[in-house]
Amino acid sequence: MSTLTGTGADTGGPTAAKPRGGIARSVADSLVVTRRNLIRMTRIPEMVIFGLVQPVMFVVLFSYVFGGSMSVGGNTDPEVYRNFLMAGIFAQTVTFATAGAGAGIADDMHKGLVDRFRSLPMARGAVLTGRTLADLVQTALTVVVLAIVGVLVGWRIHNGFLKALGAFALLLLLGYAFSWIGALIGLTVRTPEAATSGGLIWLFPVTFVSNAFVDPGMMASWIRPIAEWNPFSATVQAARELFGNPGVVRSDAWPMQHPVWASVLWSLLIIVVFRTLSVRKYRSAAA
């Protein structure tokens, strides 16, 4: 009569499998999905190219079309405005990536990719985390190109390399936070086209009712507090301080007094809230 031999799991031999914990599994699965999305981006280079063209156009248009008519602290020198402008353009660029994140997730939903991932033994939140991380990598590439263009039009940093890195880190953190808003929009709408429209329509008031392009002190009295407490404005203000660029507007609003802390806190709050809502929406859609 034959006897059953012990498996590696029974004997503690080399074939014993060690199950990963929940966090380790989620991280590993998220990185796999991130790699998948990055490979997909390289196979559709026009996505990256178009993502680079738009912010470059904004830099050129605002610098050479509007720059001569803008005043920064009473100074109408176009070069001063270009240095004032760049932090706002950087912030606008990282947040406008939200529309792409939402459209990508909506496209995956529309094509039934959710059903394919649901059949795999993977963490549910990994699909969304992987997508947002891949978008963050693309956004970082766009910021590098945009910084080069900024230098070409006369933008300079004045507070050293390390503080400039800190400014870019805050900008990318804001972009990553906003990508979770895009993820929620992409999970909510039915088509990629609707996700693109829904991802942009709310971004225009967020970016323009801010200190990105003009001094909030020039705005109507009722709208100035909105601009000063705007998470977008906090990051722009922090970036200007760290870059050492002109136009660091002082006000009594706490985010403008402590822009670095305000930027970090706003971004982390947005990530916590919208990641929770997005994962919950994804689970209900995949149920």
Side-chain angles (χ1 to χ4, degrees), residues 2-3 14 26 60 66 94 115 128 132 144-145 178-179 199 211 220 278:
S2 62
T3 59
S26 180
V60 175
F66 302 110
V94 299
D115 293 331
L128 302 179
T132 54
V144 171
V145 174
F178 273 45
S179 69
N211 60 354
S278 298

Side-chain angles (χ1 to χ4, degrees), residues 171-228:
L171 290 162
L172 292 176
L173 180 62
L174 179 71
Y176 182 69
F178 273 45
S179 69
W180 281 106
I181 302 178
L184 182 61
I185 294 172
L187 291 168
T188 303
V189 300
R190 296 184 178 181
T191 63
E193 293 78 11
T196 301
S197 300
L200 286 174
I201 193 170
W202 63 274
L203 277 172
F204 282 102
V206 167
T207 55
F208 283 96
V209 184
S210 72
N211 60 354
F213 307 111
V214 297
D215 179 357
M218 302 172 64
M219 300 178 181
S221 58
W222 65 270
I223 204 172
R224 181 176 180 178
I226 299 175
E228 292 175 336

Side-chain angles (χ1 to χ4, degrees), residues 60-99:
V60 175
L61 288 174
F62 275 89
S63 296
Y64 295 104
V65 176
F66 302 110
S69 60
M70 294 292 187
S71 172
V72 179
N75 192 333
T76 57
D77 185 351
E79 185 175 347
V80 173
Y81 182 70
R82 290 187 198 113
N83 280 273
F84 170 85
L85 172 71
M86 284 307 299
I89 294 291
F90 282 130
Q92 184 190 53
T93 299
V94 299
T95 53
F96 269 42
T98 299

